[in-house]
């Protein structure tokens, strides 16, 4: 048996509404929201008595989804410092955009911060890493003509 598909990537966020606003400004579309709790959720996640709010957003092409989760109980565990890009585990989520400068301009009012600079790779792409909601690292890629 092989994998049929990847359904989504999930990110735990501190403020669900702010994260929805951030990813909506990026261009994702809100598909739905739900309150999650109960024995099945506890068993799946491996934490007792969870209560969370989730939102699912999809890319405009309908091929990818992002699940945002705000834990109400138990409370989320904050990091003392934002992890650098070379931290083990989930590295980043990359999005292809048509205009990297315009995208950054839309995201900055929602707290986006560049980790370095916008760089050009072999006259093919403009690329950057940025910090998004709850210290998540995103990458943006704009293909050059």
């Amino acid at each position: 048996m092989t994998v049929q598909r990847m359904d989504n990537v999930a990110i735990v966020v501190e403020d669900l509404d702010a994260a929805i606003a951030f990813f909506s400004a990026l261009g994702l579309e809100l598909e739905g929201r739900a309150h999650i709790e109960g024995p099945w959720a506890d068993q799946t996640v491996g934490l007792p008595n969870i209560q969370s709010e989730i939102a699912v957003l999809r890319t405009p092409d309908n091929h990818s989804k992002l699940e945002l989760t705000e834990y109400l109980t138990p409370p989320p565990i904050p990091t003392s410092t934002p992890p650098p890009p070379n931290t083990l585990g989930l590295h980043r989520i990359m999005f292809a955009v048509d205009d990297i400068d315009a995208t950054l301009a839309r995201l900055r009012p929602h707290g986006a911060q560049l980790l370095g600079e916008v760089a050009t790779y072999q006259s093919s792409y403009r690329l950057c890493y940025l910090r998004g909601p709850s210290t998540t690292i995103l990458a943006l890629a704009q293909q050059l003509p």
Side-chain angles (χ1 to χ4, degrees):
M1 175 61 74
T2 60
V3 170
Q4 294 176 347
R5 69 183 173 273
M6 186 177 86
D7 280 335
N8 67 57
V9 172
I11 301 173
V12 175
V13 297
E14 185 176 24
D15 182 336
L16 187 60
D17 291 327
I20 291 170
F22 180 94
F23 286 104
S24 294
L26 179 60
L28 277 66
E29 301 167 14
L30 181 63
E31 186 171 280
R33 290 179 73 146
H35 180 81
I36 305 296
E37 67 177 302
W40 69 271
D42 298 351
Q43 292 167 350
T44 302
V45 176
L47 294 172
N49 305 312
I50 71 160
Q51 289 187 32
S52 64
E53 297 289 331
I54 68 165
V56 176
L57 295 99
R58 67 178 176 277
T59 56
D61 65 3
N62 289 320
H63 290 295
S64 302
K65 294 184 182 183
L66 179 66
E67 180 181 305
L68 304 172
T69 303
E70 179 181 348
Y71 279 92
L72 308 173
T73 61
I77 300 170
T79 57
S80 56
T81 58
N86 62 340
T87 301
L88 294 174
L90 181 63
H91 178 61
R92 53 106 177 115
I93 302 170
M94 180 174 272
F95 293 94
V97 299
D98 56 3
D99 184 334
I100 205 165
D101 297 315
T103 302
L104 287 169
R106 286 194 317 273
L107 294 178
R108 282 190 175 109
H110 297 280
Q113 298 177 320
L114 281 173
L115 294 183
E117 300 175 22
V118 176
T120 301
Y121 172 72
Q122 296 185 351
S123 302
S124 299
Y125 286 93
R126 294 185 71 217
L127 304 161
C128 69
Y129 277 20
L130 59 107
R131 187 95 39 206
S134 301
T135 73
T136 303
I137 297 175
L138 306 174
L140 302 178
Q142 174 189 344
Q143 189 168 10
L144 297 173

